[in-house]
Amino acid sequence: MILIIEDDEIMRSLLKTFLLGAGYQVICTVDGIEGVEAYETHRRNIQLVVSDLEMPNLNGVGAYRKIKAMNPDVKVIFVSGNIDPHLQRQLQSEGVRHFIRKPYSPDEILGAVREALGGPSELC
């Protein structure tokens, strides 16, 4: 199962469609607070978090750090229209390996998802 944390309704819907079409189960949330709550409730089933960086209430970094406190091995992909290089280096030092710039293609996000989950990143 993949947890989506995305405040933009259109991006959330597109990402959900891409992931469902590829056979993944998803849980969608609209901000970091809701994302952390969903992770806490479903953490045994969630294999990956795909989160926007910039959101109201609790941003993606704050949500990631709260989730990481629950599960130090959490896998995450951050998506954003603007990824600050300093923040990216900081998050990489915390274990984040995947960053995708918006807008992204279905192939790009699905490749990152497969790679983050330990599978091949290329489409068959």
Side-chain angles (χ1 to χ4, degrees):
M1 184 176 293
I2 298 173
L3 172 61
I4 298 170
I5 307 174
E6 171 64 69
D7 64 314
D8 183 283
E9 184 177 349
I10 293 170
M11 292 303 297
R12 189 174 56 250
S13 178
L14 282 173
L15 182 54
K16 179 181 178 181
T17 299
F18 297 159
L19 293 171
L20 288 174
Y24 295 104
Q25 294 180 322
V26 298
I27 297 173
C28 292
T29 61
V30 300
D31 63 27
I33 292 171
E34 195 175 290
V36 170
E37 290 171 356
Y39 190 88
E40 189 169 25
T41 301
H42 302 283
R43 69 176 136 198
R44 289 189 183 110
N45 298 318
I46 294 173
Q47 299 168 292
L48 176 66
V49 177
V50 179
S51 178
D52 189 6
L53 277 172
E54 298 175 19
M55 294 177 288
N57 302 322
L58 180 63
N59 67 23
V61 175
Y64 165 71
R65 290 181 177 149
K66 288 180 179 287
I67 291 169
K68 189 170 176 72
M70 289 183 252
N71 176 7
D73 298 321
V74 65
K75 296 175 181 175
V76 65
I77 297 172
F78 278 119
V79 295
S80 181
N82 181 27
I83 301 173
D84 173 39
H86 174 72
L87 178 60
Q88 184 172 346
R89 285 189 300 277
Q90 182 180 359
L91 289 168
Q92 285 171 325
S93 74
E94 295 177 31
V96 178
R97 297 290 168 249
H98 302 280
F99 299 86
I100 303 289
R101 289 196 186 280
K102 291 179 184 177
Y104 46 79
S105 70
D107 290 349
E108 186 177 11
I109 192 70
L110 292 174
V113 166
R114 280 191 295 279
E115 186 177 317
L117 292 173
S121 59
E122 296 295 319
L123 285 176
C124 297

